[in-house]
């Protein structure tokens, strides 16, 4: 890693992003399944594979989130096995806690005292919580029209929330300018090489939780493209260490139709990503000019996967399908993943005998909007006869279980 201080995060000769460099030969000799298993029950069990030292154990640490089987969802999709990587189990309910844990460790090492970021919501939430735990100052730059849930969950930690009248891409440009004016740690600007590395620990965990096997396919949302590209990088690094008993999985990236610049580039077989103006329900992945779009394209291509979009009109139905079949209420971005997965199955890209892992990147409680209309409470007095009368109206025979509502599979099913 050649990154120094808080002010240089790109190469001085080519202006390309800097990236962490590891000595794989030395690591392969020292990092084993046993040394990892002996580590803490957090992402810091992979500390030798990260570009920073693990912080003090008193800090809240993300990682080692559940990998949950979802057999009813698998049945519904016509796939042998589906597992959900529940990133909702992290401290602020999204995978962004991983990226921030690594960036914050570097910020501390550099002696920085204020954390900042541009954000589509979850990152602001994770940065604000982390800064509070570290006793650091915090300011975040978000589009003013984000979900109120995400802005409140950020403000509560004492962060200054700048609500920008503009898109995420405008917030992002603003923080790039601010980073050369202020001595702050902008996690996704001057600390980006560290931030980006945090997400690969999801791949490490999936492999470890499957006893160092890999699934056939991983489905993951794409905003900036960092999460998707780094998941693939994580699997490849395990191959370099000789830890995997199979090839890395095929990587399926999902974008919402209203903001699909990486998917359209993939479909055209092109290289150059043309920025778009986002018009999507899935706010956390509403990035029209994705910083790591090229890395995401490369990951899909070299893993023999695909990039697929989900129609806006299916996002709510897909959130509902997941909740009704698995008991997991995930974000709109996960609805987008399910839509893309249903399409991949329909296209024959995923076989009926395969194992698919879906990265559940964020929590539905932060994006209830698309499914809010499902709440149709049965209003009744606290009176036995009145309730029984309602049940008769619901075709309930008084003995049997209440039949579950059948989830919609949307137009794709
Ligand atoms: C940030 C975010 C993404 C996209 O991650 P990128 O690294 O920007 O591609 C996906 N899902 C959720 C819930 C997010 O918060």
């Amino acid at each position: 890693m050649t990154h120094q201080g808080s002010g240089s995060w790109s190469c001085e000769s080519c202006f390309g992003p800097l990236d962490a460099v590891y000595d794989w030969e030395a690591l392969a000799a020292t990092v084993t399944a046993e040394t990892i298993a002996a580590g803490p029950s957090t992402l810091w069990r992979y500390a030798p594979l990260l570009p920073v030292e693990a912080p003090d154990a008193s800090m809240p640490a993300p990682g080692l989130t559940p990998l949950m089987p979802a057999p009813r969802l698998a049945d519904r999709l016509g796939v042998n096995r589906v597992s959900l990587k529940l990133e909702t189990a992290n401290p602020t309910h999204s995978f962004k806690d991983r990226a921030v844990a690594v960036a914050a460790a570097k910020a501390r090492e550099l002696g920085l005292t204020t954390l900042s970021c541009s954000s589509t919501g979850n990152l602001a939430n994770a940065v604000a919580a982390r800064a509070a735990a570290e006793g650091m100052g915090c300011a975040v730059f978000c589009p003013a029209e984000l979900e109120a849930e995400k802005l409140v969950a950020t403000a509560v930690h004492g962060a200054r929330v700048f609500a920008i009248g503009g898109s995420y891409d405008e917030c992002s440009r603003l923080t790039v300018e601010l980073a050369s004016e202020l001595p702050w740690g902008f996690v996704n600007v001057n600390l980006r090489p560290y931030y980006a590395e945090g997400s690969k620990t999801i791949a490490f965990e999936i492999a470890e939780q499957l006893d160092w096997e890999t699934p056939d396919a991983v489905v993951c949302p794409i905003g900036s493209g960092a999460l998707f590209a780094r998941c693939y990088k994580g699997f490849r690094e395990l191959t370099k260490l000789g830890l995997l008993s199979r090839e890395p999985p095929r990587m399926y990236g999902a974008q919402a139709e209203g903001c699909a610049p990486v998917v359209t580039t993939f479909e055209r077989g092109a290289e150059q990503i043309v920025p778009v103006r986002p018009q999507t329900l899935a706010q956390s992945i509403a990035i029209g000019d994705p910083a790591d779009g090229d890395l995401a394209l490369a990951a899909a291509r070299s893993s023999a996967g695909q990039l697929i979009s989900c129609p806006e009109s299916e996002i709510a139905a897909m959130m509902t399908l997941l909740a009704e079949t698995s008991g997991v209420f995930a974000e709109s971005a996960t609805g987008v993943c399910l839509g893309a997965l249903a399409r991949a199955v329909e296209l024959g890209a995923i076989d009926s005998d395969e194992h698919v892992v879906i990265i559940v990147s964020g929590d539905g409680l932060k994006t209830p909007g698309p499914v809010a209309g499902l709440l149709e409470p049965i209003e009744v007095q606290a009176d036995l006869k009145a309730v029984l009368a309602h049940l008769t109206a619901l075709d309930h025979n008084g003995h049997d279980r209440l039949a579950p509502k059948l989830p919609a599979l949307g137009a794709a099913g």
Side-chain angles (χ1 to χ4, degrees):
M1 171 74 61
T2 47
H3 183 266
Q4 303 244 310
S6 64
S8 71
W9 61 90
S10 55
C11 170
E12 280 165 24
S13 52
C14 77
F15 302 104
L18 294 179
D19 208 354
V21 174
Y22 304 88
D23 179 349
W24 291 108
E25 224 168 282
L27 287 170
T30 52
V31 178
T32 64
E34 292 72 30
T35 62
I36 291 171
S41 300
T42 69
L43 58 64
W44 297 112
R45 66 206 279 104
Y46 309 106
L49 310 176
L50 291 169
V52 287
E53 298 285 322
D56 179 315
S58 69
M59 279 293 128
L64 222 59
T65 57
L67 184 68
M68 187 187 105
R72 297 187 60 235
L73 177 62
D75 276 356
R76 201 78 178 91
L77 290 169
V79 180
N80 178 39
R81 187 174 167 201
V82 172
S83 305
L84 305 173
K85 183 62 174 159
L86 294 183
E87 289 301 292
T88 50
N90 284 310
T92 68
H93 309 252
S94 88
F95 81 94
K96 293 295 197 312
D97 289 312
R98 297 180 187 265
V100 172
V102 177
K106 186 65 188 180
R108 180 164 268 242
E109 194 183 303
L110 294 169
L112 305 179
T113 55
T114 299
L115 284 185
S116 185
C117 65
S118 56
S119 172
T120 57
N122 281 317
L123 182 59
N125 203 174
V127 167
R130 185 72 196 193
E134 299 264 4
M136 297 172 89
C138 183
V140 300
F141 298 83
C142 301
E145 49 194 56
L146 279 192
E147 296 95 342
E149 289 82 356
K150 286 179 180 164
L151 295 173
V152 171
T154 300
V156 73
H157 299 294
R160 267 53 155 218
V161 177
F162 286 87
I164 306 299
S167 66
Y168 169 79
D169 298 285
E170 288 166 286
C171 297
S172 172
R173 269 194 295 279
L174 178 64
T175 52
V176 170
E177 288 167 7
L178 284 167
S180 40
E181 301 285 330
L182 300 169
W184 293 357
F186 289 84
V187 300
N188 51 352
V189 183
N190 49 1
L191 296 170
R192 191 167 180 94
Y194 303 91
Y195 160 91
E197 280 290 88
S199 298
K200 74 182 182 184
T201 56
I202 297 179
F204 296 165
E205 290 177 16
I206 291 171
E208 188 181 1
Q209 288 167 322
L210 295 173
D211 216 8
W212 306 105
E213 287 246 345
T214 48
D216 297 293
V218 169
V219 186
C220 172
I222 294 179
S224 75
L227 169 64
F228 182 77
R230 296 290 162 157
C231 275
Y232 182 53
K233 181 174 186 272
F235 286 114
R236 280 188 16 254
E237 291 181 353
L238 295 179
T239 300
K240 285 190 220 174
L241 292 173
L243 282 171
L244 290 188
S245 56
R246 289 180 71 197
E247 291 289 294
R250 306 193 307 279
M251 298 292 300
Y252 291 84
Q255 294 199 293
E257 214 156 56
C259 181
V262 195
V263 171
T264 42
T265 309
F266 179 85
E267 287 171 343
R268 288 201 324 266
E271 295 301 326
Q272 192 68 37
I273 294 167
V274 182
V276 299
R277 180 163 284 277
Q279 274 294 343
T280 175
L281 277 178
Q283 304 244 37
S284 61
I285 49 173
I287 300 183
D289 188 7
D292 290 322
D294 51 344
L295 295 177
L297 268 180
R301 287 176 176 151
S302 71
S303 71
Q306 286 191 30
L307 302 183
I308 300 175
S309 63
C310 169
E312 293 295 326
S313 61
E314 284 182 22
I315 295 175
M318 291 294 156
M319 291 169 73
T320 311
L321 172 68
L322 178 68
E324 290 191 3
T325 54
S326 68
V328 171
F329 182 22
E331 264 214 17
S332 41
T334 305
V336 169
C337 286
L338 252 70
L341 172 55
R343 180 97 185 104
V345 173
E346 190 181 274
L347 292 170
I350 290 175
D351 281 338
S352 57
D353 62 349
E354 293 196 304
H355 179 198
V356 181
V357 172
I358 302 172
I359 312 281
V360 178
S361 54
D363 196 320
L365 287 173
K366 293 194 213 177
T367 67
V371 294
L374 289 173
L375 175 63
E376 291 176 316
I378 299 161
E379 286 177 20
V380 64
Q381 296 302 314
D383 173 73
L384 176 65
K385 280 196 183 133
V387 174
L388 290 176
H390 275 283
L391 286 172
T392 307
L394 288 173
D395 276 342
H396 184 258
N397 64 19
H399 300 288
D400 208 353
R401 65 182 185 148
L402 194 58
K405 283 197 214 165
L406 272 186
L409 195 52

